[in-house]
């Protein structure tokens, strides 16, 4: 059984689409609602590193206290940004997905397809109606 972890926000359409794409591959992921159960600081730092990102690249601006906290200040170091994410988990962009194939911030939602070792099992459309997977389990518009 493939072990996949999703750091999920059920209020986020992209996060819901990612979760649905994982399930469309026949995998039931371990879902962590990170606003209720944020990752420990060391784990978050490790996930960011494994994803090949920086803490700044994982920061979410929209709908967060990003501007009020002055996080746009380019002089803030990684530790300061991690501290802000620990104090305000809403600053952690989502969904962050961990699979045997890597760690990735899955925006847009179809980015999760690169992390799924199992093929899609049928057609899939995002909540907005955009077709991502056809009836044969193949990515729409894929080369």
């Amino acid at each position: 059984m493939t072990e996949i972890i999703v750091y999920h926000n059920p209020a986020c359409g992209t996060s819901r689409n990612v979760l649905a794409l994982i399930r469309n591959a026949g995998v039931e992921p371990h879902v962590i609602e990170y606003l209720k159960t944020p990752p420990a600081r060391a784990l978050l730092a490790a996930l960011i590193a494994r994803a090949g990102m920086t803490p700044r690249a994982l920061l979410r601006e929209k709908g967060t206290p990003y501007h009020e906290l002055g996080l746009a200040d380019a002089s803030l170091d990684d530790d300061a940004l991690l501290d802000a994410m620990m104090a305000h988990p809403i600053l952690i962009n989502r969904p962050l997905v961990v699979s045997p194939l890597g760690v990735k911030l899955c925006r847009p939602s179809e980015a999760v397809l690169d992390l799924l070792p199992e093929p899609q099992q049928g057609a899939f459309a995002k909540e907005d109606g955009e077709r991502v997977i056809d009836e044969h389990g193949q990515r729409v518009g894929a080369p």
Side-chain angles (χ1 to χ4, degrees), residues 28-58:
E28 185 54 41
H30 179 74
V31 178
I32 298 172
E33 289 189 31
Y34 71 94
L35 294 177
K36 294 179 182 177
T37 311
R41 189 180 198 283
L43 175 58
L44 182 60
L47 291 171
I48 291 169
R50 286 181 57 200
M53 302 176 73
T54 64
R56 183 163 298 283
L58 190 63

Side-chain angles (χ1 to χ4, degrees), residues 5-30:
I5 300 168
V6 180
Y7 290 89
H8 176 63
N9 179 348
C12 171
T14 301
S15 197
R16 290 190 305 269
N17 284 324
V18 164
L19 186 57
L21 278 163
I22 294 168
R23 289 176 171 154
N24 196 48
V27 176
E28 185 54 41
H30 179 74

Side-chain angles (χ1 to χ4, degrees), residues 41 45 55-56 71 75-86:
R41 189 180 198 283
R56 183 163 298 283
L71 298 176
S75 71
L76 292 173
D77 65 12
D78 289 351
D79 284 333
L81 299 177
L82 283 168
D83 289 344
M85 286 187 258
M86 291 294 89

Side-chain angles (χ1 to χ4, degrees), residues 37-116:
T37 311
R41 189 180 198 283
L43 175 58
L44 182 60
L47 291 171
I48 291 169
R50 286 181 57 200
M53 302 176 73
T54 64
R56 183 163 298 283
L58 190 63
L59 273 176
R60 181 169 178 82
E61 294 181 40
K62 185 178 171 185
T64 74
Y66 177 89
H67 293 290
E68 294 90 327
L69 295 171
L71 298 176
D73 181 349
S75 71
L76 292 173
D77 65 12
D78 289 351
D79 284 333
L81 299 177
L82 283 168
D83 289 344
M85 286 187 258
M86 291 294 89
H88 306 277
I90 192 71
L91 289 166
I92 302 170
N93 212 341
R94 75 280 181 155
L96 194 61
V97 177
V98 181
S99 93
L101 299 179
V103 177
K104 184 181 256 190
L105 174 62
C106 293
R107 299 187 76 81
S109 53
E110 51 270 32
V112 75
L113 296 172
D114 298 333
L115 295 177
L116 300 177

